[in-house]
Amino acid sequence: MKRIFILLLIFTSVLVSGCSSNGASDGGDTPDEKGTSGFTFVDTVKDYDKVDTEAAENFTVSSKKYDYGDSNAVLLSVENHGDSNCTVTVGMTYCDEAGTELKTESQTFDGFAAKWQKYFLFDPGIAFSSYRYTVSTEDYTGECYGKMFTTRYNGLKEDRVWAGEETGFVKGILGDIRYKYEYSEILDFSFDVVFFDNSGKIFKIFNGVKQKNVPPGEEHWYPGELVYGTEKSVEWPDNLKGETSGIIIFNSIVPNGEELSR
């Protein structure tokens, strides 16, 4: 689709149609009975590096770089304020201190619904000084499965965790993430999970979790194993005491039996 701009001396009128656009930058919602989102998204992240309203037409992109072990990661919160469903592609470039490109990659999500939000996590496994991204969109006419999901963070808890063949079960600390979807058929999906400590830093990332044959209408949980203790006890790190948080980032959602793209 194309933008049509009519420029006058005193004012500018902008006529916008559709969802196709592209741009570049440096840098649980509640479904109704039909699965359409009320866009009541409340963001877990409070201190983004940048909030960009011009990355793509009708989209707001908030970005934040994190330290994660010996490397870095980037979290994007992408919000579609338009009335059109889209396919969204985010391209990411990582650079060193001199601005030299170290690595590039991209992620695409089909069925990005109008009036909806989705996180994108880029975890390249390398250290980098800066990043830049591009966002491009295309019209999408298929089913938007993502808006049919609701998620919630249910805190941390102690439980038995599997520490391997040699050690067996020990006491550990689990991050409890819940998810549920409302749809008439079974869906398969993949997601990443990010747990944040009490200062908002990333504590643990679980990449590429795949779930198949998960029935709709029921709340399910993903237990992220964060800390391993001994057979009898586990010590809580100071940064996991108090208020922590966690998010699920859906990467691919398809009807049961179809191939997941990520």
Side-chain angles (χ1 to χ4, degrees):
M1 310 295 290
K2 296 182 178 179
R3 298 181 181 182
I4 302 174
F5 295 93
I6 303 176
L7 303 179
L8 300 181
L9 291 176
I10 301 177
F11 65 92
T12 303
S13 175
V14 183
L15 305 179
V16 180
S17 175
C19 188
S20 299
S21 62
N22 60 78
S25 178
D26 297 321
D29 47 349
T30 304
D32 63 17
E33 67 276 4
K34 295 182 180 179
T36 55
S37 171
F39 205 48
T40 56
F41 167 67
V42 177
D43 203 344
T44 296
V45 181
K46 306 301 182 184
D47 55 345
Y48 284 104
D49 300 330
K50 183 177 181 180
V51 177
D52 185 0
T53 59
E54 298 181 354
E57 184 180 336
N58 295 324
F59 278 77
T60 296
V61 180
S62 305
S63 59
K64 183 174 178 62
K65 175 189 171 186
Y66 289 89
D67 295 328
Y68 183 54
D70 295 328
S71 60
N72 298 106
V74 177
L75 182 67
L76 302 181
S77 174
V78 181
E79 301 179 49
N80 180 3
H81 299 289
D83 296 321
S84 300
N85 302 330
C86 304
T87 291
V88 175
T89 298
V90 179
M92 183 68 66
T93 300
Y94 312 99
C95 302
D96 63 15
E97 293 182 355
T100 303
E101 293 185 8
L102 299 173
K103 184 176 181 179
T104 62
E105 59 182 329
S106 66
Q107 297 180 18
T108 297
F109 187 83
D110 294 321
F112 199 119
K115 304 295 189 293
W116 191 64
Q117 179 276 349
K118 179 185 140 45
Y119 292 108
F120 287 81
L121 174 68
F122 288 86
D123 180 22
I126 63 171
F128 54 90
S129 179
S130 62
Y131 63 91
R132 61 178 182 269
Y133 61 82
T134 60
V135 178
S136 61
T137 65
E138 297 179 359
D139 291 329
Y140 179 83
T141 58
E143 191 72 82
C144 293
Y145 299 113
K147 68 183 180 182
M148 301 172 188
F149 282 76
T150 55
T151 66
R152 68 184 179 95
Y153 176 63
N154 201 41
L156 307 181
K157 66 178 183 179
E158 289 188 22
D159 206 337
R160 297 176 69 215
V161 297
W162 180 250
E165 292 290 343
E166 294 184 2
T167 306
F169 283 100
V170 299
K171 283 195 173 181
I173 300 174
L174 297 178
D176 186 350
I177 287 279
R178 304 296 175 103
Y179 59 90
K180 177 181 179 180
Y181 72 93
E182 300 290 347
Y183 191 56
S184 58
E185 301 176 12
I186 294 177
L187 299 174
D188 295 344
F189 43 92
S190 65
F191 54 77
D192 301 329
V193 181
V194 184
F195 291 101
F196 302 91
D197 68 14
N198 55 22
S199 66
K201 297 178 181 179
I202 291 179
F203 187 86
K204 187 69 178 289
I205 295 173
F206 296 90
N207 295 108
V209 180
K210 294 184 178 181
Q211 301 287 351
K212 298 182 178 182
N213 300 308
V214 178
E218 303 174 8
E219 187 174 66
H220 306 272
W221 78 299
Y222 177 80
E225 299 176 351
L226 303 182
V227 178
Y228 297 89
T230 66
E231 185 179 352
K232 295 183 178 180
S233 65
V234 61
E235 182 177 353
W236 283 72
D238 289 339
N239 60 340
L240 291 186
K241 298 175 183 178
E243 185 176 353
T244 59
S245 58
I247 57 174
I248 287 182
I249 303 170
F250 289 98
N251 298 320
S252 179
I253 309 171
V254 298
N256 180 239
E258 293 190 11
E259 185 177 357
L260 293 166
S261 60
R262 290 185 58 218

